[in-house]
């Protein structure tokens, strides 16, 4: 056969006039399938290792998830994909904003935060008023990636200001108001 041994793992066969023949065969890397055909894959919940992280180049929260492909449930290696929709994605994105990973201007305030952003990742985070306020603001406007956040700041320049202010000391509030919104160019 003219197919390289490493591509023999997954292929379709078709019977034509009693003989097995391969038609329209193309080598596919296993890692491509979750990205090219996500609707044909079944994904596991996000894996603990490697940890979920904000991806600056995509502007989204990404995680590793186990997956299977097709009706035969071929097991694929863990795929680095967008975090599944839901409260978990909002929690991860909120923590990334507070850590200064989404908007670099806010990184300056990370050391001054009154609580660690990591608490937003916990299921009990809404028991703290500042965490609940921050998460509600994101959930109510369905802001779970950088593009949506920037669009919201163009529409509502004061979006998240009060919620973010609850995370920093009172002495920094006036400075925070002067730079808000942090990622949108100010008109002179």
């Amino acid at each position: 056969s003219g197919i390289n041994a490493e591509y023999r793992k997954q292929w379709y066969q078709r019977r034509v006039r009693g003989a097995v023949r391969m038609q329209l065969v193309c080598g596919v890397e296993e890692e491509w399938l979750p990205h090219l055909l996500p609707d044909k894959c079944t994904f596991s919940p996000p894996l603990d290792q490697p940890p979920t992280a904000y991806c600056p180049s995509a502007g989204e929260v990404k995680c590793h998830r186990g997956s299977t492909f097709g009706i035969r449930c071929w097991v694929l290696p863990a795929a680095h994909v967008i975090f599944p929709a839901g409260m978990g994605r909002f929690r991860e994105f909120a923590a990334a904003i507070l850590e200064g990973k989404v908007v670099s201007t806010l990184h300056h305030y990370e050391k001054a935060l009154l609580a660690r952003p990591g608490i937003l990742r916990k299921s009990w985070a809404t028991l703290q008023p500042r965490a609940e306020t921050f998460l509600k603001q994101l959930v109510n406007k369905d802001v779970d990636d950088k593009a949506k956040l920037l669009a919201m700041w163009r529409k509502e320049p004061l979006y998240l200001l009060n919620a973010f202010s609850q995370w920093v000391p009172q002495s920094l509030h006036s400075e925070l108001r002067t730079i808000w919104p942090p990622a949108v160019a100010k008109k002179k």
Side-chain angles (χ1 to χ4, degrees), residues 69-75:
F69 178 75
I71 58 173
R72 302 266 187 231
C73 295
W74 289 324
V75 178

Side-chain angles (χ1 to χ4, degrees), residues 133-162:
T133 302
F134 203 82
L135 285 170
K136 274 187 177 179
Q137 293 254 329
L138 293 173
V139 171
N140 289 343
K141 301 288 185 173
D142 192 34
V143 176
D144 59 1
D145 64 36
K146 187 174 183 176
K148 291 178 185 176
L149 179 62
L150 295 177
M152 187 55 65
W153 274 335
R154 284 186 199 96
K155 272 183 12 184
E156 297 178 32
L158 298 179
Y159 176 69
L160 285 184
L161 175 60
N162 290 335

Side-chain angles (χ1 to χ4, degrees), residues 120-133:
L120 287 163
R121 295 180 176 101
K122 308 292 184 190
S123 59
W124 48 263
T126 54
L127 296 176
Q128 291 196 355
R130 69 172 59 98
E132 181 181 19
T133 302

Side-chain angles (χ1 to χ4, degrees), residues 4 10 26-27 48 56 68 72 74 88 91 100-101 117 119 122 142 145 153 158 172 177 184:
N4 193 330
Q10 299 169 357
C26 176
D48 293 334
T68 59
R72 302 266 187 231
W74 289 324
R91 290 179 194 282
K101 294 177 181 175
I119 66 163
K122 308 292 184 190
D142 192 34
D145 64 36
W153 274 335
L158 298 179
L172 295 175
R177 277 188 217 97
V184 180

